Amino acid sequence: MGRTSLVLGFIVAACFSGIAAQIKGCEKANMADIVILVDGSSSISPGNFQEVRSFLRNFIKDLDIGSNKVRIGLAQYSDEPQTEFLLKDHSDKRSLLAAVERIQLLGGGVTETGKAIDFLQKQFFTKEAGSRADQRVPQVAVVITAEDSTDNEGEANVKAPAQKLRQDGVMVFGVGVGGANRKQLESIANYPPDRFMHSFDSYQALQRRTEELLDLVCRSVVEQKEGKATDGRTRYRGA
C-alpha cells in the first residue's frame, strides 16, 4: 500500500512539475504568452464543451508553466466575449488546470468572432493583463471557432481586428471545428496556412490532435525567439 501511494505521488508530481516537456518541439519553448479564445456559443453542446476542456488540459500539461516561463490566458465568446483568466492570473500548472475545470459553457445564439479578437487585443495582450511583449516574449493567440462569424460586416469584420493583432506582433493560429468558415480562418491566421490554420471535423478530432497543434505552436514560439518570424500580414519566414 505504501509503495502504491509513493508511485501515485510521483506520477502526480511529474504531471504538475513542468520540468520535462513530453513533446519534443516544446522543450525549448520555455517562455511565451499564449491566449486561447474558445467559441462558447449555443452551437457547442455540453458534450463538446467537455472535449474543449480535455483539449485545454492536454494543451497545458506539456508546457513549462510559470510567471517567468509560459503564461496562459483564456477567453470565451459568443455574442459577447468573456474573460476566463488573464495571463497574469495563474503562475503554476496546478492552479491553471484547476481554473480550466471551473469554466462553464457561455451560451448565446451568435458567434461574433471579430469582436472577440478585438477583445483579446485590448484586454489580454497588454502589460496590465500580464503580457510581456515589451520584454520580447513571444505572443500567441489560438482562436477556436465552430461556425461563421456573425459580426455585422461578416468576413471583413473578422479580418480587420485579426490584422491589428498580427501587426502588434501576435502570432495567430486559426482553428476551425465542424462548419467553421475557411475564408474567415484564412483572414484570422498568420501565414503559411499549413502551420497557422487548422480545420477539424469535430471537437473529438481536435482533442485527438492536440499534440500536433501544440508542437506547431511551440516551434513557432522558438523560431520567433530566434528572430525568424514575423512580418506584417504576417508571412512566416521560419517555415
Side-chain angles (χ1 to χ4, degrees):
M1 186 69 179
R3 179 176 294 181
T4 301
S5 298
L6 182 63
V7 171
L8 287 174
F10 179 79
I11 292 171
V12 171
C15 287
F16 289 111
S17 67
I19 293 172
Q22 298 299 310
I23 297 175
K24 187 174 181 180
C26 294
E27 291 176 357
K28 295 182 179 179
N30 53 11
M31 187 175 290
D33 295 333
I34 303 173
V35 179
I36 304 171
L37 177 63
V38 175
D39 187 343
S41 66
S42 57
S43 64
I44 314 301
S45 70
N48 281 336
F49 199 68
Q50 291 292 342
E51 297 290 344
V52 172
R53 278 205 196 90
S54 294
F55 164 80
L56 293 171
R57 283 195 299 267
N58 291 332
F59 189 93
I60 290 167
K61 72 180 178 65
D62 285 314
L63 292 170
D64 196 2
I65 303 297
S67 59
N68 295 316
K69 298 177 181 178
V70 177
R71 297 181 182 181
I72 301 287
L74 178 67
Q76 190 180 169
Y77 75 103
S78 55
D79 52 337
E80 293 291 338
Q82 173 177 290
T83 298
E84 297 296 344
F85 47 83
L86 297 170
L87 290 163
K88 66 179 182 179
D89 287 346
H90 299 284
S91 59
D92 65 271
K93 191 172 294 187
R94 187 183 298 272
S95 171
L96 188 57
L97 290 172
V100 167
E101 294 306 312
R102 291 193 296 268
I103 64 172
Q104 300 294 320
L105 180 62
L106 184 60
V110 296
T111 307
E112 299 204 5
T113 311
K115 182 191 291 186
I117 294 172
D118 183 62
F119 179 78
L120 288 194
Q121 183 180 27
K122 294 176 179 176
Q123 301 298 323
F124 281 81
F125 290 104
T126 67
K127 187 173 183 178
E128 294 75 18
S131 168
R132 295 167 290 173
D134 61 346
Q135 301 174 41
R136 304 185 68 82
V137 172
Q139 307 288 290
V140 179
V142 180
V143 179
I144 303 174
T145 183
E147 60 181 4
D148 288 2
S149 173
T150 55
D151 291 278
N152 291 335
E153 298 176 24
E155 182 182 335
N157 210 31
V158 173
K159 184 175 182 178
Q163 185 176 37
K164 288 179 183 177
L165 195 59
R166 295 192 305 266
Q167 288 174 342
D168 277 355
V170 179
M171 293 184 290
V172 185
F173 287 79
V175 179
V177 182
N181 186 310
R182 184 174 179 86
K183 286 188 176 180
Q184 287 183 358
L185 286 177
E186 289 176 350
S187 297
I188 290 168
N190 281 48
Y191 284 158
D194 62 353
R195 177 171 293 207
F196 291 98
M197 191 182 78
H198 304 274
S199 296
F200 302 93
D201 293 337
S202 66
Y203 279 98
Q204 291 79 10
L206 169 63
Q207 213 263 96
R208 288 194 300 269
R209 294 175 63 187
T210 303
E211 290 190 1
E212 177 184 332
L213 179 60
L214 179 57
D215 181 66
L216 289 171
V217 170
C218 287
R219 287 197 287 124
S220 299
V221 164
V222 171
E223 291 178 14
Q224 189 183 68
K225 285 174 63 180
E226 294 175 349
K228 297 179 182 178
T230 59
D231 67 4
R233 158 55 183 104
T234 305
R235 189 168 296 277
Y236 193 84
R237 295 195 184 102

